[in-house]
Amino acid sequence: MNVIAKPAASPLGTPLAAALRSHVVRHTQKTFDWDAFPSNRGFPELARAQMRYIGAGGSPKVGEPGTLPPDHFTLSLIHKPIGNYAACHAHEIEESFLVLDGVLTVGWEREGEVCEVKLGPRDMILNARDIGHGFRNDGIEPVLMTISVDVGKPLPPRYLHHPKLGSDPVLSRAFGAAPGKTIPFDPAGDHPLQQLMARHVIRHAEARPIREAAGFQRRVYVGPGGVESETCRKEMWGIPAGIGVKPHAREVEDAIMVLEGSLTVGWEENGEAVEMELGPRDLVFNPAGRRHWFRNDGIGPCTAWTVIGSPAAETVKFEAA
């Protein structure tokens, strides 16, 4: 185990400390918005709540106080009640669904046929550009998931099957699939939708861990070694207690959201160092060029979801603190 050498942190009243605080989003200081998607008004079966961290995602509520402005990606939490669904729609850009709690059914539609996959905790799908897709909670508990749209300001979604368009409610709930037109997900299947979806689904248990010399591990979900993308890289990090890395910087922005445990994050500038501790579902957004580090001062492991504003392979050489 690495012994953490803690930097001498500056007082919290400095400009650098204020800048770090302005780039941290606390889960307990946010509120779920049940009216984030006005197109669903009047359709209780479509109800879902959004908590915006970076950008507005697919919601028209851009520039919300307390939500960080986006650059290459957005990031939000979505709460989906039992039995509810999101109507089939398409985007001009990729977006990922990472399940945190519950079981989510995701459907992809093409020419009246739909391939459906069930995702459990820490499973992810990267929804391809211009592919009709929707999601549904058929489970026995609410679903909590992160959604990340891979552009700062996405266009409004283009709905394909939605009750407001006059679609039959049964057809809408099935993402546009008539009876007998739903295909189960099978990575080894020969249907074109199965083959396409198989290249965009990541199971946590099947993602190969990359063990860094600094003492933590990365699982690449999107990027080299995971789902191919031309926009952003997305990874799950496992950071044992007592592990930390030295300051480093990227040419693009990155965001770290703690899923379990706690993580101390810090910034460095001109010899000054400031730091803050993040708890579950807290997030830090590190701008491009900002020297930053992380350290697990907790008594247990930390799991973190990381989004990097470039699809390229990792170039940071993490050094143990």
Side-chain angles (χ1 to χ4, degrees):
M1 177 184 296
N2 295 322
V3 178
I4 296 177
K6 298 183 180 180
S10 296
L12 295 179
T14 67
L16 183 61
L20 174 56
R21 281 197 301 271
S22 71
H23 285 75
V24 167
V25 180
R26 297 287 189 190
H27 178 66
T28 54
Q29 295 175 354
K30 300 289 288 183
T31 301
F32 275 105
D33 180 3
W34 285 94
D35 191 37
F37 306 98
S39 60
N40 294 335
R41 291 172 183 166
F43 302 99
E45 68 276 17
L46 298 178
R48 64 184 184 271
Q50 182 192 40
M51 180 179 288
R52 295 174 285 277
Y53 285 73
I54 302 172
S59 172
K61 297 186 177 181
V62 177
E64 173 190 51
T67 296
L68 301 175
D71 191 351
H72 290 97
F73 58 84
T74 74
L75 194 149
S76 61
L77 290 180
I78 293 290
H79 167 91
K80 196 69 174 176
I82 298 169
N84 285 19
Y85 72 95
C88 186
H89 61 283
H91 296 282
E92 87 286 4
I93 195 67
E94 298 164 322
E95 68 170 348
S96 61
F97 300 161
L98 172 72
V99 176
L100 303 182
D101 297 315
V103 176
L104 184 73
T105 298
V106 178
W108 281 15
E109 186 269 350
R110 179 178 284 175
E111 297 179 352
E113 292 185 304
V114 172
C115 184
E116 290 190 353
V117 62
K118 289 187 176 182
L119 305 176
R122 302 190 188 180
D123 293 342
M124 191 214 75
I125 185 169
L126 184 71
N127 294 294
R129 302 173 188 227
D130 294 317
I131 285 288
H133 61 279
F135 55 91
R136 189 175 63 238
N137 183 358
D138 293 334
I140 60 171
E141 61 179 317
V143 166
L144 183 67
M145 57 195 282
T146 73
I147 290 185
S148 181
V149 181
D150 294 346
V151 67
K153 296 181 179 180
L155 297 174
R158 176 170 54 89
Y159 284 101
L160 307 178
H161 301 279
H162 193 295
K164 73 174 184 178
L165 302 176
S167 300
D168 177 83
V170 175
L171 193 69
S172 294
R173 184 176 176 81
F175 314 125
K181 294 294 185 178
T182 297
I183 307 157
F185 176 67
D186 181 355
D190 57 7
H191 191 282
L193 268 179
Q194 291 175 320
Q195 295 175 351
L196 180 63
M197 184 178 272
R199 298 196 297 271
H200 291 79
V201 169
I202 287 286
R203 303 288 190 188
H204 175 75
E206 298 172 0
R208 182 179 63 86
I210 299 170
R211 303 189 185 281
E212 292 285 343
F216 72 102
Q217 69 174 25
R218 303 184 294 116
R219 294 175 190 255
V220 178
Y221 278 54
V222 181
V227 177
E228 295 182 3
S229 172
E230 298 177 353
T231 52
C232 298
R233 194 169 81 251
K234 302 174 186 181
E235 301 183 353
M236 186 82 70
W237 289 359
I239 308 160
I243 295 298
V245 301
K246 292 181 178 180
H248 56 275
R250 303 181 189 277
E251 295 182 355
V252 295
E253 81 281 19
D254 66 61
I256 303 173
M257 173 180 276
V258 174
L259 302 183
E260 294 180 350
S262 64
L263 191 68
T264 297
V265 296
W267 283 7
E268 180 187 76
E269 183 176 84
N270 298 325
E272 180 186 356
V274 295
E275 60 185 38
M276 297 181 68
E277 184 174 299
L278 306 181
R281 297 171 194 163
D282 291 345
L283 173 144
V284 62
F285 180 87
N286 300 299
R290 170 64 70 186
R291 286 179 60 78
H292 61 284
W293 73 86
F294 60 84
R295 188 178 70 241
N296 184 353
D297 292 332
I299 61 173
C302 171
T303 302
W305 179 241
T306 304
V307 184
I308 299 103
S310 165
E314 184 62 86
T315 58
V316 172
K317 303 299 183 183
F318 294 104
E319 296 183 56

